[in-house]
Amino acid sequence: MSYQCSKEEREFLDQYDASRYERPSVTTDIVVFTLDELDRLSVLLIKRGQFPYKDRWALPGGFLHTARESVDDCARRELMEETGIDNAFCSQLYTFGEPGRDPRTTVISVAYMALIPKHKLQIKAGDDAKEASIFQIQYDVDGMHFINSQMTISESDLAFDHADVIRMAITKLRNRIDYEDDALALLKDQNEFTITELKKIHETIKNKPLDLPNFRKSFLRDYVKTGKVKELDKTIVSKGKPTKLYKLMGGDV
Amino acid sequence: MSYQCSKEEREFLDQYDASRYERPSVTTDIVVFTLDELDRLSVLLIKRGQFPYKDRWALPGGFLHTARESVDDCARRELMEETGIDNAFCSQLYTFGEPGRDPRTTVISVAYMALIPKHKLQIKAGDDAKEASIFQIQYDVDGMHFINSQMTISESDLAFDHADVIRMAITKLRNRIDYEDDALALLKDQNEFTITELKKIHETIKNKPLDLPNFRKSFLRDYVKTGKVKELDKTIVSKGKPTKLYKLMGGDV
DNA sequence: TCAAAAGTGTTTCCCATACACCCATGC
DNA sequence: GCATGGGTGTATGGGAAACACTTTTGA
């Protein structure tokens, strides 16, 4: 940013005492969505190694390194540190700033959302975390439950207001999925995928079955005819008729 | 928020040194949209009385009073201080956190959007502002221009990255207007308005003419049949056939 | 009687949905 | 062959857009 200013202004800035305002801490929280081996919607949670909420499960994220990085960069850095993904697409979700949401001090949290296929997640806990795991999201009368092979966590067990963050992320994702390309980010291989595979991703996110012929029509119209996706000559065979493969232009390398 | 914690955790919190993390300043900026006397999309700008960007025009807003208020409250408070509106509907837009967007120090800005009819705006500058004015928004090859009766400001003249904030607000508003009730907030009188009046608001926001018969159909279906809006017995006459008046249920008192 | 603006009705088209049916493979 | 999933085509319905037409006023 080029900021030209007068000598007068420069003097003001030089003696500006940055500490004279009360300042909240700023963190980012990232809702990392993925599909598990049975194509169920899942989210990455980290078991906190420190107070507050020690030993409770929480979203990955952490404090902003002020001055050195943007808020967006902070989200990407935390994601990199905790999952090994270095170029994930993070979209900003909402900023949570109720006093009291963190017992230490006022903490403003900028929430992000990322969609990452499971096999790309190199799960490793960061400095202030002990454990990380992918949990399938299930709904019941009493809200969300997060299930992995060892345990079930109910939404009230999550740290901070992270259940609210996840709920908002799911809502936003569902609203976006019809007219944004989000689903493509969850493909196992963007260079070789089938329509059925993409349809399963949509079904998982919308939580309802879709009609394959109609889904195909939309796909051909919105992606193939527009050139965003190219049909490959290859097909794969497992059971039934061989399946055409498609490739996302400008996707993974 | 009820936060139950162990004695061990309580001890940790007691000795927690809040200042050991670097902390950015947090501000809110509010994009106040209104329509001018000719129903053109307009925005409220404040001439800054202090460095940085002294004497430049900027969005209303200010620093978060940490611990005392939420980020949402901060936006509402600033709006109150600068426009006299105390119950305006502010919706969160986006959080801007690029280092360097403020020359003083890292400033994270949470942007909000509000829609307020012009006659409700009691424009008065706050402490750190000198002047406030409503500017009509015009577009040209070189971007946005902000015009009031005395001057024209181009978007590059605005303080900070406020041109980006306004651009994003307009985009978001346009995308929302079809399925949200935003336009109703801009009615001069929610207890007595005509379909044509509401249509003009939509036209201004979408920046294109709409078909009255079709607009009426949507209005009757979405608002009158659902009970959100009631038809009054009154009509008003100016030129041509008298016009039916409608009243928003649960609107202004 | 004419202009102006409100209000009604009709036609057309697109697109989402539903679903019947054919195709190519493994077994 | 037949089960399995891929792929094609068709019928239906609702909503958006375009527009012809009627109504009620002031001048």
Side-chain angles (χ1 to χ4, degrees):
Chain A
M1 191 169 181
S2 70
Y3 179 67
Q4 304 276 333
C5 67
S6 67
K7 191 175 152 211
E8 186 191 12
E9 181 158 0
R10 174 54 55 208
E11 282 164 8
F12 168 85
L13 290 175
D14 287 346
Q15 59 174 308
Y16 177 87
D17 177 8
S19 67
R20 94 180 118 133
Y21 294 99
E22 298 176 85
R23 293 167 174 225
S25 293
V26 173
T27 69
T28 57
D29 292 315
I30 307 118
V31 182
V32 180
F33 285 119
T34 193
L35 305 194
D36 70 6
E37 47 307 321
L38 292 171
D39 286 320
R40 295 171 300 199
L41 187 63
S42 306
V43 66
L44 175 67
L45 296 176
I46 307 277
K47 190 167 183 178
R48 290 182 58 82
Q50 294 200 346
F51 292 120
Y53 291 101
K54 187 166 187 292
D55 298 324
R56 299 278 278 277
W57 292 86
L59 291 171
F63 285 94
L64 175 70
H65 292 179
T66 299
R68 274 188 284 144
E69 64 184 357
S70 69
V71 184
D72 287 10
D73 288 339
C74 175
R76 276 190 288 268
R77 175 178 53 75
E78 294 288 346
L79 195 58
M80 172 65 184
E81 286 173 9
E82 287 172 313
T83 68
I85 302 274
D86 64 348
N87 60 349
F89 177 69
C90 283
S91 65
Q92 193 182 298
L93 189 62
Y94 196 77
T95 296
F96 294 81
E98 290 296 320
R101 56 180 295 285
D102 188 308
R104 289 168 291 191
T105 175
T106 301
V107 174
I108 309 295
S109 170
V110 186
Y112 284 78
M113 174 169 65
L115 301 167
I116 303 174
K118 188 161 183 272
H119 70 90
K120 284 192 189 163
L121 290 170
Q122 308 285 329
I123 295 179
K124 50 184 176 186
D127 272 0
D128 59 353
K130 273 165 69 175
E131 234 182 295
S133 176
I134 290 169
F135 290 82
Q136 181 216 339
I137 303 172
Q138 285 245 335
Y139 311 97
D140 206 339
V141 279
D142 54 343
M144 295 180 288
H145 295 264
F146 304 94
I147 305 170
N148 72 2
S149 53
Q150 274 132 53
M151 70 190 103
T152 294
I153 301 167
S154 64
E155 63 171 81
S156 56
D157 294 330
L158 292 187
F160 308 106
D161 51 2
H162 286 183
D164 296 329
V165 180
I166 293 172
R167 222 191 321 277
M168 186 180 287
I170 294 172
T171 302
K172 186 153 183 171
L173 180 58
R174 282 201 189 150
N175 290 336
R176 283 173 53 149
I177 196 71
D178 280 330
Y179 57 95
E180 291 283 331
D181 300 343
D182 292 335
L184 295 167
L186 283 171
L187 290 168
K188 286 188 187 61
D189 183 356
Q190 296 183 334
N191 293 308
E192 268 191 12
F193 64 92
T194 67
I195 291 181
T196 301
E197 193 183 339
L198 188 62
K199 170 173 161 276
K200 282 214 182 95
I201 296 171
H202 277 82
E203 288 175 325
T204 294
I205 291 171
K206 303 178 87 161
N207 203 28
K208 69 172 183 188
L210 298 174
D211 180 81
L212 180 56
N214 293 329
F215 186 85
R216 166 176 282 104
K217 259 177 286 186
S218 313
F219 175 77
L220 293 175
R221 171 168 38 83
D222 299 340
Y223 291 100
V224 181
K225 288 206 176 156
T226 60
K228 287 183 187 173
V229 161
K230 284 252 176 301
E231 184 184 327
L232 299 177
D233 284 332
K234 274 172 146 183
T235 55
I236 50 161
V237 182
S238 58
K239 207 190 225 182
K241 189 171 172 176
T243 313
K244 272 184 197 149
L245 287 170
Y246 295 86
K247 169 191 166 66
L248 173 64
M249 302 311 287
D252 289 342
V253 192
Chain B
M1 190 170 181
S2 71
Y3 179 68
Q4 305 275 334
C5 66
S6 66
K7 189 174 154 213
E8 186 192 13
E9 181 157 0
R10 173 54 55 207
E11 283 163 9
F12 168 85
L13 291 175
D14 287 345
Q15 60 173 307
Y16 177 86
D17 176 9
S19 67
R20 97 179 114 133
Y21 292 100
E22 297 176 87
R23 292 166 175 228
S25 292
V26 174
T27 70
T28 56
D29 291 317
I30 307 118
V31 183
V32 179
F33 286 119
T34 193
L35 305 193
D36 69 7
E37 48 304 324
L38 293 170
D39 286 321
R40 294 171 301 199
L41 187 63
S42 306
V43 66
L44 175 67
L45 296 177
I46 308 277
K47 191 168 182 177
R48 289 180 58 81
Q50 294 200 347
F51 291 119
Y53 291 101
K54 188 166 186 293
D55 297 325
R56 300 279 278 278
W57 293 86
L59 291 170
F63 286 92
L64 175 70
H65 292 179
T66 298
R68 272 188 285 145
E69 64 185 356
S70 69
V71 184
D72 286 11
D73 289 338
C74 176
R76 277 190 288 267
R77 175 178 54 75
E78 294 286 346
L79 194 58
M80 172 65 184
E81 287 174 9
E82 287 171 314
T83 69
I85 303 273
D86 65 346
N87 60 349
F89 177 69
C90 283
S91 65
Q92 192 182 302
L93 189 62
Y94 196 78
T95 297
F96 295 82
E98 290 296 320
R101 58 179 295 283
D102 189 309
R104 289 168 291 192
T105 174
T106 301
V107 174
I108 309 296
S109 170
V110 185
Y112 284 78
M113 174 168 67
L115 301 168
I116 303 175
K118 189 161 183 275
H119 71 92
K120 284 192 192 165
L121 290 170
Q122 309 284 329
I123 295 178
K124 51 184 175 187
D127 272 0
D128 58 354
K130 272 166 68 175
E131 234 181 295
S133 176
I134 290 169
F135 290 82
Q136 180 216 340
I137 304 172
Q138 286 245 334
Y139 311 97
D140 204 340
V141 279
D142 54 343
M144 295 179 291
H145 295 265
F146 304 93
I147 305 172
N148 71 4
S149 54
Q150 275 133 52
M151 70 189 104
T152 295
I153 301 167
S154 63
E155 62 170 80
S156 56
D157 294 330
L158 292 187
F160 307 106
D161 51 1
H162 287 181
D164 296 330
V165 180
I166 294 171
R167 221 191 322 276
M168 187 179 286
I170 294 172
T171 302
K172 185 153 183 171
L173 180 58
R174 282 201 189 149
N175 289 335
R176 282 173 53 148
I177 196 71
D178 282 330
Y179 57 94
E180 292 284 331
D181 301 342
D182 292 334
L184 296 167
L186 284 171
L187 290 167
K188 286 189 186 60
D189 183 356
Q190 296 183 334
N191 293 309
E192 268 190 13
F193 64 92
T194 66
I195 291 181
T196 301
E197 193 185 337
L198 188 62
K199 169 173 160 279
K200 281 213 183 94
I201 297 172
H202 277 83
E203 287 174 325
T204 294
I205 291 171
K206 302 177 90 160
N207 203 27
K208 68 172 184 190
L210 297 174
D211 179 82
L212 181 55
N214 292 329
F215 186 84
R216 166 176 282 103
K217 258 176 288 186
S218 310
F219 175 76
L220 293 176
R221 171 168 38 82
D222 298 341
Y223 291 100
V224 181
K225 288 207 176 154
T226 59
K228 288 182 187 174
V229 161
K230 283 251 176 300
E231 184 184 325
L232 299 177
D233 283 333
K234 274 172 141 182
T235 55
I236 50 162
V237 182
S238 58
K239 207 190 227 184
K241 187 171 174 176
T243 314
K244 271 185 198 149
L245 287 169
Y246 295 87
K247 170 192 166 65
L248 174 63
M249 302 311 286
D252 288 343
V253 193

